[in-house]
Amino acid sequence: MEAVTDRRLHAGGSTDDRLSALPDDLLHRILSFLPCQRTVQTTVLSKRWQKIEDLVTNFLIFHNAPVLDAFRIAMDGVIADDWLPAINRWVRRGILGCPSVLEIEFFDTGIPNPPFGDTIRPGPFELPDIGSSSSSRLKKLSLVGVSLGSSFAELLRSGCPVLEDLHLEDCCTEFNHIQSHTLKKLTIHICYRHSVGTLLIKAPALVKLVLDPDLSMPEYTQKNEFSLADGSTNSLVDAWVVFPNDMSPRSRVMLLGSLSNVTKLELTACFSAELMLDNELGRFPIFSNMRTLWLRGCVFGNRDGKCSTLDIFLQKTPNLKKLTLEHQRPCCCKNTFQEAGRKKRKDKTSSRALHCPDQKAFQCPNLKLIEIIYEARYTDDHHELQLFQVMRGLWRNLQQATFTVTKI
Amino acid sequence: MAATTADGSKVVGGGEKSNVDEESKMITLFSSDGERFEVTQEAAAMSQTIHHMMEDGCVDDEGVHLPNVGSSILAMVIEYCNRHVASPDEKEDIRSFDAGFVNVEHHTLFDIIRAANYLDVKELMDLCCQTVADSIKSKSVEEIRELFGIVNDFTPEEEAEIRKENQWAFE
């Protein structure tokens, strides 16, 4: 880092280069305010700057590779091929730093989903192998837009002894199980699985679960089945789950069964569709710990004459304190089969009281707060009518409760 | 100069503090060339270096000697700190103050950076580094060399090699 000795002076003497005379750490700091492309361009200013930029790129302040507390790389947009070597370099260096928090996030890579079949959506970034020596301190791992091979499952199982928080979003995966003894929080958000079959989650310490496969491409025929191994949900308190339209009713009931201990459940699904087969109703679990329930989706549609999901839930949540019904744009109802059914139902606007096969009224003595949220532009007259019918049905049983209706 | 003598306490007393004693507690700073500056403890505490000294009880009645900071630069740093503790919530005013503050010659800016680094005044460091980065951001490599007087000690071959290695950045 000493002053360059073979410097060629400009004829006539230029101004003192007091910028380059600043100590390394200050130059380093200035460079950190530049976007990375500009930082790399400074390598060409002079030899001194090349050294500084190397410091920035390699994260080596002195001779020893430091142990990192956290490493995060986040990029937006399509990644050009010639950027990949640089990005790979940075990611590898970050991983080598044995971080406690590792976040590798590529958003909006813009690669369109294949419409049919089981072709993998090409993962824009293949995660380099994380050796178990690099993951020994890993507590939080967040991967967005990354392609994960089958060795990832093994890494989770045996290479991450202190992992507590795993976030997988928009990833392309090839494994069938997620296993970790220490995992407390798991988020799976719109991931594309190359392998067929059920994704088994085995995480006995799990406290919070977010499961959200892709709902926006109903034509995508990939099967999205999840299951939680026995014992994985003993500590589970908070679950946020989306039921994809193609999830089998049996899997849904089984998944709900695994969630039966939770205190708080947020469930997004098309509730007007056949969520539950009649012969599965008997297996619908009782959620004795549930205090908060949030149902999001086509909440106000229902199958005429049949028990609605809301009815069932209210029967099975005796200790419920707060209920939120959020009626969302009925994307599933875009499906022509259901459109036809909907048109048919529109004619039968007879009063839709809450009722169950055996007409038993539900008992939720602690249910004091009911919120109803709906988007005006996606709710037609038919839905609004059903909304009020649902409210009336609820009100009959819950006259002590507070209702809030929000139209957004 | 921005903060000298007993007047300092009046300027800084922004009326937000309930403890009157705290407001008027002054501390003396000495620049490298022996000039004396009186500042409120609150303003001085913006410098983590001085703050830690105060906490550790290393500040005696005489004051704090800052052998690394010259008087003109110290005056500017004090001006910055005074302004920022006076009315921290008036974002618009502070923004225009900051903009005016960094509108100085580059070598002054670098001296402030060194001083802010030594005194560990994070906000001032960030402000000045951002300013330098902004003047680099919009310029080509040649223009940067020109502006700061950086001498290019690469041979043309060496420079071409580096540009090629990191081609993606030079597009």
Side-chain angles (χ1 to χ4, degrees), chain B residues 91-107:
Chain B
K91 299 270 187 302
E92 277 309 311
D93 284 348
I94 290 207
R95 249 199 291 271
S96 59
F97 168 81
D98 284 353
F101 185 82
V102 292
N103 190 13
V104 291
E105 299 261 351
H106 278 125
H107 62 83

Side-chain angles (χ1 to χ4, degrees), chain A residues 140-198:
Chain A
K140 177 177 174 189
L141 177 59
S142 170
L143 300 170
V144 179
V146 166
S147 169
L148 299 166
S150 44
S151 57
F152 185 73
E154 190 51 41
L155 175 75
L156 288 178
R157 199 178 69 85
S158 54
C160 297
V162 295
L163 188 65
E164 285 181 10
D165 185 340
L166 176 62
H167 179 108
L168 298 177
E169 183 178 330
D170 202 25
C171 289
C172 207
T173 64
E174 275 183 42
F175 47 82
N176 269 345
H177 61 275
I178 289 181
Q179 223 176 321
S180 164
H181 276 97
T182 49
L183 200 61
K184 288 193 179 146
K185 181 175 171 194
L186 173 62
T187 303
I188 299 181
H189 189 73
I190 313 182
C191 286
Y192 298 85
R193 285 198 297 125
H194 180 50
S195 44
V196 218
T198 314

